[in-house]
Amino acid sequence: MARKLPPLNALRAFETAARHRSMSAAANELSVTHGAISRHVSKLEQYLRAKLFVRDHQRLTLTPQGEAYARRLASAFDQIQEATAEGFQSRRHEAPLRIGLYPTFANHVLIPRLAQFREKHPEIAFQIETSHTPLDPTGMDIDIAVRLGAGDWPDLVSEYLFHEQLIPVGSPDLLCGRTLRDAQDLEPFTLLHAVPRPNDWEQWLKSVGIKSADAHRGMRFEHSGLVYQAALNGLGLAMAQTVHVHDDLERGRLVPFLDSPAKTERSYYLVYSPFKARDRRVVAFVQWMKSEVATRLS
């Protein structure tokens, strides 16, 4: 029996628009016009006799039916991509491994060590994509990503790397050998904060039993990478994730104000689509990250 399938171009247009939550972004990815994406989606809605998106001015929101359909289509496209990769090995080996990272993780953890991965796997090309929000490894742009959380992403394979830990650090010239004993020891110093992480100082101070200090005073920066740079330049004390300042602490560029790391409730994970579980590039990167990076930084 012949398969009764919806228009395939319309399916691809809808899945891309649903993944990006944007007709314009879908048009850019597929190298067509915004109008072409819109027409394909409308054609699919007519075929299905159902609304897939709610259009409200510039916002594009999936309906519950659209959300469920988009997930199934993304899974189906992943399987097509994997079947193609498995069936045509030479093409698969030419494709770079696309790694999605938070910018600070990329700069402080992975990039300083990537030469080791290239030395061990010279046949695997790679490219780095960064975003301050978690990247989606079920789409067409990312093969594997690093995420911070509880590991509870039901549509992804999650490979544990290490716990998130916090520690207060500053430059040696700023601290001059001083250490933290009580709240008064903090008063001479400016506290440095990353805007997306407003409670790190409060969380750490609570863990070491200091409750009277003002944990929210000081300077704020757009992201953690800027906070660490400010600490290196002597502007104040940073509440750092230990994994990000590991190399700076080892080389003496930063020193702990009190060597008492506090674990948070989150951990770092490598995440990828179940359909990429047999991709040798993904397998090699996971094994390398867990043996060469995680064991040395945890």
Side-chain angles (χ1 to χ4, degrees):
M1 291 179 62
R3 287 189 174 89
K4 188 176 181 181
L5 297 174
L8 297 183
N9 284 339
L11 287 179
R12 191 177 182 205
F14 164 66
E15 190 277 333
T16 308
R19 177 157 36 86
H20 289 291
R21 300 298 198 271
S22 167
M23 296 280 188
S24 297
N28 288 335
E29 178 176 320
L30 299 179
S31 299
V32 297
T33 65
H34 181 285
I37 296 294
S38 182
R39 287 192 296 274
H40 277 308
V41 171
S42 295
K43 184 177 181 180
L44 183 60
E45 289 179 326
Q46 291 172 12
Y47 179 91
L48 299 172
R49 298 180 183 179
K51 296 296 290 182
L52 299 172
F53 287 111
V54 177
R55 298 164 179 84
D56 180 14
H57 300 294
Q58 299 300 316
R59 297 182 60 190
L60 196 63
T61 305
L62 285 160
T63 65
Q65 274 187 304
E67 183 83 50
Y69 195 40
R71 281 200 300 269
R72 295 288 296 273
L73 286 178
S75 175
F77 284 137
D78 278 343
Q79 290 183 64
I80 293 170
Q81 181 174 275
E82 181 67 15
T84 303
E86 289 181 358
F88 302 93
Q89 290 291 324
S90 61
R91 289 183 178 272
R92 177 183 172 189
H93 292 170
E94 292 170 2
L97 177 68
R98 298 157 303 176
I99 307 166
L101 302 167
Y102 302 109
T104 307
F105 192 98
N107 288 331
H108 291 261
V109 179
L110 190 61
I111 290 176
R113 296 168 173 82
L114 265 179
Q116 300 169 22
F117 178 71
R118 186 173 59 184
E119 183 178 348
K120 190 167 186 177
H121 295 283
E123 77 285 1
I124 300 177
F126 53 82
Q127 64 187 49
I128 305 296
E129 302 288 341
T130 63
S131 172
H132 290 290
T133 57
L135 286 163
D136 181 10
T138 64
M140 303 289 285
D141 300 324
I142 300 295
D143 295 306
I144 188 167
V146 169
R147 280 194 183 176
L148 180 60
D152 52 351
W153 301 287
D155 297 330
L156 299 172
V157 178
S158 300
E159 303 271 4
Y160 170 81
L161 292 176
F162 34 66
H163 285 293
E164 179 187 47
Q165 297 185 86
L166 301 175
I167 190 169
V169 297
S171 72
D173 291 341
L174 179 70
L175 287 175
C176 297
R178 286 175 286 190
T179 190
L180 179 67
R181 296 179 300 275
D182 55 45
Q184 290 184 341
D185 293 325
L186 277 175
E187 292 180 2
F189 302 105
T190 299
L191 305 188
L192 308 176
H193 306 265
V195 171
R197 303 177 62 93
N199 300 315
D200 281 1
W201 271 101
E202 182 178 29
Q203 185 175 356
W204 183 84
L205 287 168
K206 183 178 179 181
S207 76
V208 295
I210 296 178
K211 301 178 182 179
S212 57
D214 181 358
H216 297 281
R217 65 176 177 85
M219 301 174 65
R220 283 161 179 76
F221 296 84
E222 185 180 3
H223 56 78
S224 296
L226 294 177
V227 171
Y228 302 150
Q229 190 59 52
L232 285 164
N233 288 312
L235 285 178
L237 300 178
M239 185 53 61
Q241 297 177 67
T242 57
V243 67
H244 289 161
V245 295
H246 177 273
D247 295 348
D248 291 315
L249 291 171
E250 277 204 337
R251 294 167 187 168
R253 294 192 293 253
L254 292 172
V255 293
F257 194 32
L258 180 66
D259 194 3
S260 182
K263 281 185 179 180
T264 74
E265 295 179 351
R266 302 187 297 180
S267 298
Y268 280 97
Y269 294 84
L270 285 170
V271 295
Y272 52 91
S273 165
F275 300 108
K276 294 195 173 99
R278 291 184 294 169
D279 185 324
R280 68 172 196 88
R281 303 165 306 156
V282 169
V283 171
F285 187 74
V286 169
Q287 291 176 344
W288 175 77
M289 277 289 288
K290 294 176 79 169
S291 64
E292 300 295 327
V293 179
T295 55
R296 297 184 184 185
L297 297 181
S298 58

